[in-house]
Amino acid sequence: MSPTTQCSGRGLRSVVIVGGGTAGWMVAAGLARVLEGSSCEVTLVESEAIGTVGVGEATIPSLRAFHELLGIDEQEFLRATRATFKLAIQFREWGGRGETFLHPFGPYGIDIKHELFQAYWLKRRSEGCPSALDEWSVTGLAASLGRFGTRSTDESSPLRNLTYAYHLDATLYARLLRAYAEERGVRRIEGRVVDVAVGPRGWVDSLRLADGRSVTGDFFIDCSGFESLIIARALQTGYVDWSHWFPCDSAVAVQCESAAAPVLHTRATARETGWQWRIPLQHRVGNGYVYSSAHLSDDEAATDLLQRLEGAPISAPRHLRFKAGRRASAWVGNCLALGLAAGFLEPLESTSIHLIQTGLGRLFALFPDRDFDPAVSAEYNRLTALEYEHVRDFLILHYAASTRDDSAFWRDCRVMRLPDSLAYKRDLFTKTGRIAILEQETFAAASWLAIYTGLGIWPQRYEPAIDIFGSPATPLGFEAMRERIRAAVETLQTA
Ligand SMILES: Cc1cc2nc3c(=O)[nH]c(=O)nc-3n(C[C@H](O)[C@H](O)[C@H](O)COP(=O)(O)OP(=O)(O)OC[C@H]3O[C@@H](n4cnc5c(N)ncnc54)[C@H](O)[C@@H]3O)c2cc1C
């Protein structure tokens, strides 16, 4: 007898989200949108007294797809969250003192596959004609020149490669998403969860609030931040600790007044014992120092950061402690963790909000019924683990490839043993000029090229195939591509 495809008729009747930070309200808004018209109820429990982590203000371009799904108008979003446009991350002092490079969004070249662009660019370099990588990226050049405008829809225009994300105010963003979700029927409960009742199968039955109320549901989404209230505290799910690869375990964050018009990039400046971020918004600048508590005290970090602000501080320094890693299983039984409850990777490439979004996308693709088939959660966990590991490797590269040796912190980074997966990628690149892109990879080859070469890692050769199969362009044609990019960017307005 052949197996038949069956629907269980046991669809979810209710989803309970714990936590009202960026993760909780992104999940609530996303569910409100995709469950529109269904009978499944969504409830969010949060405690204003506990508050949110309140940082997390730089994003990557994928967020625009989330807003498209929700149908949020860009102008409304910019107004509500006092957001600015972000085209790149500028890395200062990572390769060495005084050195700066850019990691722009989007591709290099025009009408050319990345592998060919890269091979040709490296070949020109080996022929004694080196050129700055940024000049080959519409987005990178626009960021360097401080120019921005509408992405072209004209297939022949280099400006169709203009790729951007946002800097946003995290508190205002959560507020915007909350309004969106509540308008679409999400019920919000103010209250502190003090107990989680777990049934005999290891599934969550209900939450008990401090005032004695009980909240029941079919499916629980743990967005309780570092607290990891359900997934870790109640369900005792372990943590895959990556702190041996990440020298920093602390951050101090301060907001300050803007001293100049916002620039089009996040700035990440390497310091003696970590790195400092600068995120310009319309109304203020977010700043933070990510550091190693083994090398610097909290007071020293705060003093250091305050001394380096470009405008007057408008908030008290906020200290945060973290451990790099991911939850061993983000989905267990009828509980899924998203956001900081699922793991933490430092904000060097602004990936946390993106990881919430991709986790949510995976949830939609693998949406459960009340049977919570372990095969579904296993697939979710497999894909999530891969995604976190690839982001982890990309971030480690920034530390491991730095040639700085001016402090114990950087000297420790230089002798770090890489994860095998990163060692493989780095070897492949240095020996052959090839970039390995694996399943569930967040960053495209263009991003890896920016970081490798920005930090001074060059391959011993370019891909030999371009000499055998023929070059995509003559040197003149290749140089003309750069001129087209510049001419197009110069038509954009000064930001
Ligand atoms: C230093 C630092 C810098 C960062 N920078 C970036 C960045 O630039 N870009 C980026 O993408 N990400 C960044 N992140 C990550 C980003 O801040 C988080 O991914 C994002 O804010 C999501 O957090 P969250 O919603 O999971 O947790 P939180 O914001 O901590 O929210 C947790 C929620 O759970 C609630 N809660 C907790 N316990 C209980 C309880 N017992 N009962 C009821 N409610 C409870 C809280 O009240 C809160 O509403 C950064 C993180 C840190 C630490």
PDB file of all heavy atoms in Angstrom, residues 64 67 71-85 148-150 164 166 176 282:
ATOM      1  N   ARG A  64      14.452  44.611   4.760  1.00  0.00           N
ATOM      2  CA  ARG A  64      13.477  45.217   3.848  1.00  0.00           C
ATOM      3  C   ARG A  64      12.450  44.188   3.383  1.00  0.00           C
ATOM      4  O   ARG A  64      11.282  44.504   3.177  1.00  0.00           O
ATOM      5  CB  ARG A  64      14.202  45.867   2.670  1.00  0.00           C
ATOM      6  CG  ARG A  64      14.912  47.138   3.141  1.00  0.00           C
ATOM      7  CD  ARG A  64      15.771  47.818   2.094  1.00  0.00           C
ATOM      8  NE  ARG A  64      15.422  47.502   0.749  1.00  0.00           N
ATOM      9  CZ  ARG A  64      16.303  47.090  -0.170  1.00  0.00           C
ATOM     10  NH1 ARG A  64      17.570  46.937   0.146  1.00  0.00           N
ATOM     11  NH2 ARG A  64      15.905  46.850  -1.392  1.00  0.00           N
ATOM     12  N   HIS A  67       9.758  43.875   5.959  1.00  0.00           N
ATOM     13  CA  HIS A  67       8.794  44.976   5.881  1.00  0.00           C
ATOM     14  C   HIS A  67       7.856  44.809   4.682  1.00  0.00           C
ATOM     15  O   HIS A  67       6.682  45.167   4.748  1.00  0.00           O
ATOM     16  CB  HIS A  67       9.530  46.319   5.823  1.00  0.00           C
ATOM     17  CG  HIS A  67      10.283  46.602   7.079  1.00  0.00           C
ATOM     18  ND1 HIS A  67      11.222  47.599   7.195  1.00  0.00           N
ATOM     19  CD2 HIS A  67      10.261  45.977   8.284  1.00  0.00           C
ATOM     20  CE1 HIS A  67      11.724  47.582   8.422  1.00  0.00           C
ATOM     21  NE2 HIS A  67      11.158  46.607   9.094  1.00  0.00           N
ATOM     22  N   GLY A  71       3.983  44.592   4.742  1.00  0.00           N
ATOM     23  CA  GLY A  71       3.319  45.693   4.039  1.00  0.00           C
ATOM     24  C   GLY A  71       3.549  47.024   4.735  1.00  0.00           C
ATOM     25  O   GLY A  71       2.711  47.923   4.678  1.00  0.00           O
ATOM     26  N   ILE A  72       4.714  47.168   5.402  1.00  0.00           N
ATOM     27  CA  ILE A  72       5.020  48.435   6.082  1.00  0.00           C
ATOM     28  C   ILE A  72       5.649  49.392   5.073  1.00  0.00           C
ATOM     29  O   ILE A  72       6.614  49.051   4.390  1.00  0.00           O
ATOM     30  CB  ILE A  72       5.979  48.194   7.274  1.00  0.00           C
ATOM     31  CG1 ILE A  72       5.241  47.444   8.382  1.00  0.00           C
ATOM     32  CG2 ILE A  72       6.556  49.504   7.790  1.00  0.00           C
ATOM     33  CD1 ILE A  72       6.068  47.211   9.627  1.00  0.00           C
ATOM     34  N   ASP A  73       5.101  50.569   4.992  1.00  0.00           N
ATOM     35  CA  ASP A  73       5.584  51.582   4.071  1.00  0.00           C
ATOM     36  C   ASP A  73       6.939  52.125   4.558  1.00  0.00           C
ATOM     37  O   ASP A  73       7.101  52.412   5.745  1.00  0.00           O
ATOM     38  CB  ASP A  73       4.539  52.707   4.014  1.00  0.00           C
ATOM     39  CG  ASP A  73       5.023  53.883   3.230  1.00  0.00           C
ATOM     40  OD1 ASP A  73       5.154  53.746   2.006  1.00  0.00           O
ATOM     41  OD2 ASP A  73       5.304  54.938   3.853  1.00  0.00           O
ATOM     42  N   GLU A  74       7.887  52.263   3.635  1.00  0.00           N
ATOM     43  CA  GLU A  74       9.238  52.676   4.055  1.00  0.00           C
ATOM     44  C   GLU A  74       9.260  54.062   4.701  1.00  0.00           C
ATOM     45  O   GLU A  74       9.932  54.284   5.707  1.00  0.00           O
ATOM     46  CB  GLU A  74      10.203  52.631   2.867  1.00  0.00           C
ATOM     47  CG  GLU A  74      11.634  52.933   3.304  1.00  0.00           C
ATOM     48  CD  GLU A  74      12.646  52.676   2.211  1.00  0.00           C
ATOM     49  OE1 GLU A  74      12.742  53.503   1.292  1.00  0.00           O
ATOM     50  OE2 GLU A  74      13.359  51.650   2.287  1.00  0.00           O
ATOM     51  N   GLN A  75       8.510  54.986   4.149  1.00  0.00           N
ATOM     52  CA  GLN A  75       8.517  56.348   4.706  1.00  0.00           C
ATOM     53  C   GLN A  75       7.948  56.345   6.134  1.00  0.00           C
ATOM     54  O   GLN A  75       8.473  57.000   7.029  1.00  0.00           O
ATOM     55  CB  GLN A  75       7.702  57.307   3.827  1.00  0.00           C
ATOM     56  CG  GLN A  75       8.361  57.611   2.485  1.00  0.00           C
ATOM     57  CD  GLN A  75       9.791  58.148   2.652  1.00  0.00           C
ATOM     58  OE1 GLN A  75      10.068  58.972   3.533  1.00  0.00           O
ATOM     59  NE2 GLN A  75      10.721  57.661   1.829  1.00  0.00           N
ATOM     60  N   GLU A  76       6.894  55.561   6.307  1.00  0.00           N
ATOM     61  CA  GLU A  76       6.272  55.461   7.638  1.00  0.00           C
ATOM     62  C   GLU A  76       7.282  54.848   8.627  1.00  0.00           C
ATOM     63  O   GLU A  76       7.439  55.297   9.759  1.00  0.00           O
ATOM     64  CB  GLU A  76       5.017  54.587   7.541  1.00  0.00           C
ATOM     65  CG  GLU A  76       4.265  54.447   8.840  1.00  0.00           C
ATOM     66  CD  GLU A  76       3.310  53.256   8.813  1.00  0.00           C
ATOM     67  OE1 GLU A  76       2.879  52.849   7.718  1.00  0.00           O
ATOM     68  OE2 GLU A  76       3.022  52.721   9.915  1.00  0.00           O
ATOM     69  N   PHE A  77       7.982  53.810   8.158  1.00  0.00           N
ATOM     70  CA  PHE A  77       8.988  53.149   9.000  1.00  0.00           C
ATOM     71  C   PHE A  77      10.099  54.133   9.384  1.00  0.00           C
ATOM     72  O   PHE A  77      10.503  54.210  10.558  1.00  0.00           O
ATOM     73  CB  PHE A  77       9.560  51.935   8.240  1.00  0.00           C
ATOM     74  CG  PHE A  77      10.897  51.485   8.723  1.00  0.00           C
ATOM     75  CD1 PHE A  77      11.025  50.739   9.891  1.00  0.00           C
ATOM     76  CD2 PHE A  77      12.049  51.816   8.027  1.00  0.00           C
ATOM     77  CE1 PHE A  77      12.272  50.340  10.352  1.00  0.00           C
ATOM     78  CE2 PHE A  77      13.303  51.416   8.467  1.00  0.00           C
ATOM     79  CZ  PHE A  77      13.409  50.680   9.638  1.00  0.00           C
ATOM     80  N   LEU A  78      10.588  54.896   8.390  1.00  0.00           N
ATOM     81  CA  LEU A  78      11.696  55.833   8.657  1.00  0.00           C
ATOM     82  C   LEU A  78      11.282  56.887   9.680  1.00  0.00           C
ATOM     83  O   LEU A  78      12.035  57.230  10.587  1.00  0.00           O
ATOM     84  CB  LEU A  78      12.143  56.524   7.361  1.00  0.00           C
ATOM     85  CG  LEU A  78      12.814  55.624   6.307  1.00  0.00           C
ATOM     86  CD1 LEU A  78      12.934  56.348   4.969  1.00  0.00           C
ATOM     87  CD2 LEU A  78      14.196  55.163   6.773  1.00  0.00           C
ATOM     88  N   ARG A  79      10.045  57.361   9.523  1.00  0.00           N
ATOM     89  CA  ARG A  79       9.525  58.382  10.447  1.00  0.00           C
ATOM     90  C   ARG A  79       9.362  57.812  11.852  1.00  0.00           C
ATOM     91  O   ARG A  79       9.800  58.390  12.834  1.00  0.00           O
ATOM     92  CB  ARG A  79       8.150  58.850   9.948  1.00  0.00           C
ATOM     93  CG  ARG A  79       8.087  60.288   9.528  1.00  0.00           C
ATOM     94  CD  ARG A  79       6.667  60.794   9.289  1.00  0.00           C
ATOM     95  NE  ARG A  79       5.709  59.829   8.770  1.00  0.00           N
ATOM     96  CZ  ARG A  79       5.530  59.569   7.468  1.00  0.00           C
ATOM     97  NH1 ARG A  79       6.255  60.193   6.557  1.00  0.00           N
ATOM     98  NH2 ARG A  79       4.621  58.697   7.075  1.00  0.00           N
ATOM     99  N   ALA A  80       8.772  56.626  11.916  1.00  0.00           N
ATOM    100  CA  ALA A  80       8.425  56.046  13.228  1.00  0.00           C
ATOM    101  C   ALA A  80       9.651  55.621  14.021  1.00  0.00           C
ATOM    102  O   ALA A  80       9.639  55.655  15.254  1.00  0.00           O
ATOM    103  CB  ALA A  80       7.491  54.861  13.029  1.00  0.00           C
ATOM    104  N   THR A  81      10.698  55.193  13.350  1.00  0.00           N
ATOM    105  CA  THR A  81      11.856  54.645  14.080  1.00  0.00           C
ATOM    106  C   THR A  81      13.068  55.562  14.006  1.00  0.00           C
ATOM    107  O   THR A  81      14.140  55.190  14.476  1.00  0.00           O
ATOM    108  CB  THR A  81      12.249  53.263  13.523  1.00  0.00           C
ATOM    109  OG1 THR A  81      12.697  53.428  12.177  1.00  0.00           O
ATOM    110  CG2 THR A  81      11.089  52.277  13.546  1.00  0.00           C
ATOM    111  N   ARG A  82      12.877  56.752  13.415  1.00  0.00           N
ATOM    112  CA  ARG A  82      13.960  57.753  13.243  1.00  0.00           C
ATOM    113  C   ARG A  82      15.170  57.094  12.577  1.00  0.00           C
ATOM    114  O   ARG A  82      16.323  57.312  12.951  1.00  0.00           O
ATOM    115  CB  ARG A  82      14.371  58.374  14.590  1.00  0.00           C
ATOM    116  CG  ARG A  82      13.240  58.846  15.469  1.00  0.00           C
ATOM    117  CD  ARG A  82      12.362  59.938  14.872  1.00  0.00           C
ATOM    118  NE  ARG A  82      13.059  61.122  14.407  1.00  0.00           N
ATOM    119  CZ  ARG A  82      13.332  62.194  15.128  1.00  0.00           C
ATOM    120  NH1 ARG A  82      12.958  62.228  16.375  1.00  0.00           N
ATOM    121  NH2 ARG A  82      13.937  63.229  14.613  1.00  0.00           N
ATOM    122  N   ALA A  83      14.866  56.245  11.612  1.00  0.00           N
ATOM    123  CA  ALA A  83      15.915  55.440  10.971  1.00  0.00           C
ATOM    124  C   ALA A  83      16.692  56.230   9.928  1.00  0.00           C
ATOM    125  O   ALA A  83      16.225  57.250   9.413  1.00  0.00           O
ATOM    126  CB  ALA A  83      15.271  54.220  10.319  1.00  0.00           C
ATOM    127  N   THR A  84      17.891  55.748   9.638  1.00  0.00           N
ATOM    128  CA  THR A  84      18.713  56.292   8.553  1.00  0.00           C
ATOM    129  C   THR A  84      19.095  55.130   7.634  1.00  0.00           C
ATOM    130  O   THR A  84      18.952  53.963   7.996  1.00  0.00           O
ATOM    131  CB  THR A  84      19.995  56.949   9.101  1.00  0.00           C
ATOM    132  OG1 THR A  84      20.721  55.958   9.837  1.00  0.00           O
ATOM    133  CG2 THR A  84      19.692  58.141  10.000  1.00  0.00           C
ATOM    134  N   PHE A  85      19.613  55.468   6.461  1.00  0.00           N
ATOM    135  CA  PHE A  85      20.033  54.431   5.521  1.00  0.00           C
ATOM    136  C   PHE A  85      21.454  53.983   5.831  1.00  0.00           C
ATOM    137  O   PHE A  85      22.296  54.783   6.227  1.00  0.00           O
ATOM    138  CB  PHE A  85      19.953  54.955   4.080  1.00  0.00           C
ATOM    139  CG  PHE A  85      18.550  55.246   3.657  1.00  0.00           C
ATOM    140  CD1 PHE A  85      18.100  56.557   3.509  1.00  0.00           C
ATOM    141  CD2 PHE A  85      17.662  54.209   3.419  1.00  0.00           C
ATOM    142  CE1 PHE A  85      16.788  56.828   3.134  1.00  0.00           C
ATOM    143  CE2 PHE A  85      16.348  54.462   3.041  1.00  0.00           C
ATOM    144  CZ  PHE A  85      15.916  55.765   2.903  1.00  0.00           C
ATOM    145  N   PHE A 148      23.421  58.955  -2.002  1.00  0.00           N
ATOM    146  CA  PHE A 148      22.360  57.955  -1.922  1.00  0.00           C
ATOM    147  C   PHE A 148      21.177  58.406  -2.771  1.00  0.00           C
ATOM    148  O   PHE A 148      21.013  59.599  -3.051  1.00  0.00           O
ATOM    149  CB  PHE A 148      21.912  57.755  -0.465  1.00  0.00           C
ATOM    150  CG  PHE A 148      20.975  56.583  -0.299  1.00  0.00           C
ATOM    151  CD1 PHE A 148      21.396  55.308  -0.607  1.00  0.00           C
ATOM    152  CD2 PHE A 148      19.667  56.770   0.120  1.00  0.00           C
ATOM    153  CE1 PHE A 148      20.539  54.218  -0.491  1.00  0.00           C
ATOM    154  CE2 PHE A 148      18.801  55.687   0.248  1.00  0.00           C
ATOM    155  CZ  PHE A 148      19.246  54.412  -0.061  1.00  0.00           C
ATOM    156  N   GLY A 149      20.357  57.467  -3.176  1.00  0.00           N
ATOM    157  CA  GLY A 149      19.167  57.792  -3.961  1.00  0.00           C
ATOM    158  C   GLY A 149      18.369  56.540  -4.189  1.00  0.00           C
ATOM    159  O   GLY A 149      18.625  55.506  -3.583  1.00  0.00           O
ATOM    160  N   THR A 150      17.424  56.645  -5.102  1.00  0.00           N
ATOM    161  CA  THR A 150      16.540  55.513  -5.357  1.00  0.00           C
ATOM    162  C   THR A 150      17.270  54.446  -6.148  1.00  0.00           C
ATOM    163  O   THR A 150      17.967  54.742  -7.104  1.00  0.00           O
ATOM    164  CB  THR A 150      15.307  55.989  -6.162  1.00  0.00           C
ATOM    165  OG1 THR A 150      14.840  57.157  -5.527  1.00  0.00           O
ATOM    166  CG2 THR A 150      14.221  54.936  -6.170  1.00  0.00           C
ATOM    167  N   TYR A 164      20.769  48.470   0.325  1.00  0.00           N
ATOM    168  CA  TYR A 164      20.846  49.187   1.599  1.00  0.00           C
ATOM    169  C   TYR A 164      20.064  48.512   2.708  1.00  0.00           C
ATOM    170  O   TYR A 164      19.186  47.692   2.476  1.00  0.00           O
ATOM    171  CB  TYR A 164      20.388  50.648   1.430  1.00  0.00           C
ATOM    172  CG  TYR A 164      18.934  50.790   1.053  1.00  0.00           C
ATOM    173  CD1 TYR A 164      17.953  50.933   2.027  1.00  0.00           C
ATOM    174  CD2 TYR A 164      18.544  50.766  -0.276  1.00  0.00           C
ATOM    175  CE1 TYR A 164      16.617  51.060   1.690  1.00  0.00           C
ATOM    176  CE2 TYR A 164      17.209  50.882  -0.629  1.00  0.00           C
ATOM    177  CZ  TYR A 164      16.247  51.030   0.355  1.00  0.00           C
ATOM    178  OH  TYR A 164      14.923  51.144   0.005  1.00  0.00           O
ATOM    179  N   TYR A 166      19.185  49.577   7.228  1.00  0.00           N
ATOM    180  CA  TYR A 166      18.852  50.753   8.042  1.00  0.00           C
ATOM    181  C   TYR A 166      19.609  50.737   9.374  1.00  0.00           C
ATOM    182  O   TYR A 166      19.986  49.686   9.870  1.00  0.00           O
ATOM    183  CB  TYR A 166      17.358  50.767   8.393  1.00  0.00           C
ATOM    184  CG  TYR A 166      16.427  50.569   7.243  1.00  0.00           C
ATOM    185  CD1 TYR A 166      15.794  49.343   7.048  1.00  0.00           C
ATOM    186  CD2 TYR A 166      16.159  51.612   6.355  1.00  0.00           C
ATOM    187  CE1 TYR A 166      14.915  49.149   5.996  1.00  0.00           C
ATOM    188  CE2 TYR A 166      15.270  51.422   5.288  1.00  0.00           C
ATOM    189  CZ  TYR A 166      14.667  50.188   5.114  1.00  0.00           C
ATOM    190  OH  TYR A 166      13.797  49.986   4.070  1.00  0.00           O
ATOM    191  N   LEU A 176       6.595  50.296  16.936  1.00  0.00           N
ATOM    192  CA  LEU A 176       5.928  50.252  15.628  1.00  0.00           C
ATOM    193  C   LEU A 176       5.345  48.862  15.364  1.00  0.00           C
ATOM    194  O   LEU A 176       4.193  48.715  14.938  1.00  0.00           O
ATOM    195  CB  LEU A 176       6.953  50.601  14.527  1.00  0.00           C
ATOM    196  CG  LEU A 176       6.478  50.457  13.077  1.00  0.00           C
ATOM    197  CD1 LEU A 176       5.562  51.621  12.703  1.00  0.00           C
ATOM    198  CD2 LEU A 176       7.650  50.421  12.092  1.00  0.00           C
ATOM    199  N   GLN A 282      18.552  59.517  12.978  1.00  0.00           N
ATOM    200  CA  GLN A 282      18.146  60.889  12.629  1.00  0.00           C
ATOM    201  C   GLN A 282      18.344  61.837  13.806  1.00  0.00           C
ATOM    202  O   GLN A 282      18.721  62.989  13.640  1.00  0.00           O
ATOM    203  CB  GLN A 282      16.665  60.908  12.245  1.00  0.00           C
ATOM    204  CG  GLN A 282      16.349  60.229  10.931  1.00  0.00           C
ATOM    205  CD  GLN A 282      14.836  60.184  10.682  1.00  0.00           C
ATOM    206  OE1 GLN A 282      14.082  61.048  11.151  1.00  0.00           O
ATOM    207  NE2 GLN A 282      14.401  59.187   9.951  1.00  0.00           N
TER     208      GLN A 282
END
